[in-house]
């Protein structure tokens, strides 16, 4: 499953390739699973809009859209009732297309002649002549639109922006293992299994330690480790596991730097002790019993 660095890489790749382009028309497949907004609403919101920017919020890809939607143009043609104009203005400012890749979702920018892959759920025709396609074999991905003012908020705190005080406060009084707390998207958004394990290793904290029992100093170290790990992974273009590729089809290389994740039984790169694996809340956790206390 793509985690924060992969989603950041994909969002950056998409921004580079489709920002400033315009969505002329949208085709949506018949499978309802990926659609978290009604198909008609997604199509009406996207069609005729300029893609102002593509960015990441948590593990979501967010397309900021500008320009009037077809729906509001039609309403104007019908000399819509007064008051509607203000609503249209807020729609104009706030329309966002939200994509969550789930386990196997991919976004591809290609020429219209490119073969349409199986499990393609959405095709947006762009004014530049290219197409933006959403493909997802397992259909855990989600497509939706956000039309409220204030912009899309996936909940939780952004780990790359969180202050030390705020970070420490997130874990205060929590009886759950620190690993589970790190994965809790209502606390920090976007930290998944790989980066939680890698961060705990760098901070020297065992995944099973109770969050509430960790000192402020260690939490400060953990915050720095989380940011360092995520930044390094983003710089390397995300981890390449299973079928993850970024918007350009390039694989990321962060897996070359994993120190504990997926290294069960292999020697710790710091002390040589065999890396252990435990299952916590159904997820594998990897750690060094000597370096992590
Ligand atoms: Zn070690």
């Amino acid at each position: 499953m793509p985690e924060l660095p992969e989603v950041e890489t994909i969002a950056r790749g998409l921004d580079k390739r489709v920002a400033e382009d315009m969505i002329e028309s949208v085709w949506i497949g018949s499978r309802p699973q990926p659609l978290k907004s009604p198909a008609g609403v997604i199509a009406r919101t996207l069609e005729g809009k300029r893609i102002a920017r593509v960015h990441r919020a948590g593990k979501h890809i967010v397309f900021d859209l500008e320009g009037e939607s077809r729906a509001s143009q039609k309403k104007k043609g019908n000399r819509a009732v007064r008051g509607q104009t203000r609503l249209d203005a807020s729609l104009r400012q706030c329309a966002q297309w939200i994509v969550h890749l789930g386990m196997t979702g991919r976004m591809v920018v290609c020429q219209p002649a490119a073969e349409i892959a199986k499990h393609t759920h959405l095709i947006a025709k762009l004014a530049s002549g290219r197409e933006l396609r959403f493909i997802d074999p397992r259909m855990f991905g989600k497509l939706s639109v956000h039309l409220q003012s204030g912009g899309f908020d996936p909940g939780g705190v952004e780990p790359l922006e969180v202050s030390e005080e705020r970070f420490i406060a997130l874990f205060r009084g929590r009886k759950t293992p620190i690993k589970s707390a790190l994965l809790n998207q209502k606390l920090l958004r976007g930290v998944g299994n790989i980066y939680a394990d890698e961060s705990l290793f760098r901070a020297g904290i065992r995944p099973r330690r109770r969050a509430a029992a960790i000192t402020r100093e260690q939490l400060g170290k953990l915050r720095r480790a989380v940011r360092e790990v995520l930044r390094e992974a983003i710089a390397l273009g995300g981890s390449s596991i299973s079928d993850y590729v970024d918007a350009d089809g390039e694989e990321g290389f962060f897996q070359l730097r994993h120190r504990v994740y997926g290294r069960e039984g292999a020697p710790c790169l710091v002390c040589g002790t065999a890396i252990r694996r435990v299952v916590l809340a159904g997820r594998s956790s990897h750690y060094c019993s000597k370096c992590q206390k």
Side-chain angles (χ1 to χ4, degrees), residues 176-178 205-211 213-215 218 293:
T176 53
I178 184 65
I205 302 168
R206 286 201 192 181
R208 265 202 287 232
R209 283 272 300 280
R210 276 211 298 170
I214 298 171
T215 64
Q218 283 180 306
K293 298 292 175 201

Side-chain angles (χ1 to χ4, degrees), residues 1-290:
M1 183 183 292
E3 295 194 18
L4 186 152
E6 289 81 35
V7 178
E8 177 75 30
T9 304
I10 294 164
R12 285 181 188 181
L14 286 167
D15 186 64
K16 220 164 38 184
R17 306 180 87 196
V18 302
E20 302 299 322
D21 212 330
M22 210 190 82
I23 301 173
E24 287 191 328
S25 63
V26 173
W27 170 89
I28 296 173
S30 56
R31 304 302 295 267
Q33 291 91 331
L35 308 179
K36 298 302 158 201
S37 301
V41 174
I42 295 178
R44 276 202 303 279
T45 305
L46 267 57
E47 286 179 349
K49 294 278 177 57
R50 193 177 69 86
I51 300 168
R53 184 168 81 105
V54 187
H55 55 105
R56 178 187 60 79
K59 289 191 208 176
H60 299 79
I61 299 169
V62 179
F63 291 77
D64 288 347
L65 304 172
E66 274 181 9
E68 294 176 48
S69 69
R70 289 251 163 104
S72 61
Q73 282 165 7
K74 247 180 227 161
K75 272 186 206 126
K76 264 195 196 141
N78 295 341
R79 300 190 121 258
V81 281
R82 216 176 295 170
Q84 188 66 48
T85 348
R86 192 178 298 165
L87 181 70
D88 286 347
S90 72
L91 271 180
R92 219 169 23 242
Q93 284 159 10
C94 304
Q96 289 174 316
W97 177 26
I98 317 295
V99 178
H100 192 285
L101 298 171
M103 305 272 291
T104 52
R106 275 187 297 144
M107 302 235 45
V108 174
V109 181
C110 59
Q111 295 301 320
E115 195 185 336
I116 294 171
K118 222 175 155 184
H119 311 294
T120 297
H121 303 289
L122 182 145
I123 300 175
K125 276 193 170 302
L126 304 176
S128 61
R130 300 169 303 165
E131 291 183 352
L132 179 56
R133 300 178 184 175
F134 176 71
I135 303 156
D136 187 5
R138 294 189 62 188
M139 294 195 289
F140 290 110
K142 298 180 195 118
L143 302 175
S144 63
V145 290
H146 180 88
L147 300 169
Q148 281 118 49
S149 58
F152 173 70
D153 179 5
V157 180
E158 177 59 47
L160 290 176
E161 289 159 16
V162 64
S163 69
E164 186 155 328
E165 279 311 308
R166 185 89 195 273
F167 186 88
I168 290 166
L170 289 178
F171 302 103
R172 197 174 291 148
R174 294 203 175 260
K175 297 191 174 87
T176 53
I178 184 65
K179 170 73 183 283
S180 311
L182 277 177
L183 293 180
N184 183 346
Q185 300 295 304
K186 287 179 194 139
L187 302 179
L188 283 180
R189 62 193 193 203
V191 178
N193 209 31
I194 300 174
Y195 302 106
D197 279 4
E198 294 299 317
S199 304
L200 286 168
F201 174 74
R202 292 193 191 190
I205 302 168
R206 286 201 192 181
R208 265 202 287 232
R209 283 272 300 280
R210 276 211 298 170
I214 298 171
T215 64
R216 289 176 60 88
E217 195 196 337
Q218 283 180 306
L219 284 173
K221 209 168 164 189
L222 179 59
R223 170 178 164 270
R224 287 191 293 279
V226 167
R227 291 155 61 98
E228 186 183 284
V229 163
L230 292 175
R231 287 219 181 94
E232 277 176 27
I234 290 168
L236 288 164
S239 292
S240 180
I241 49 163
S242 76
D243 58 356
Y244 156 72
V245 284
D246 74 7
D248 290 315
E250 300 280 342
E251 294 189 352
F253 296 98
F254 189 69
Q255 83 277 15
L256 300 176
R257 296 242 186 126
H258 291 170
R259 296 179 193 174
V260 284
Y261 184 84
R263 297 193 64 244
E264 184 187 5
C268 170
L269 301 176
V270 174
C271 73
T273 306
I275 298 297
R276 290 195 191 168
R277 186 179 78 96
V278 289
V279 177
L280 263 175
R283 310 289 301 273
S284 285
S285 292
H286 307 78
Y287 70 99
C288 170
S289 59
K290 195 169 172 199

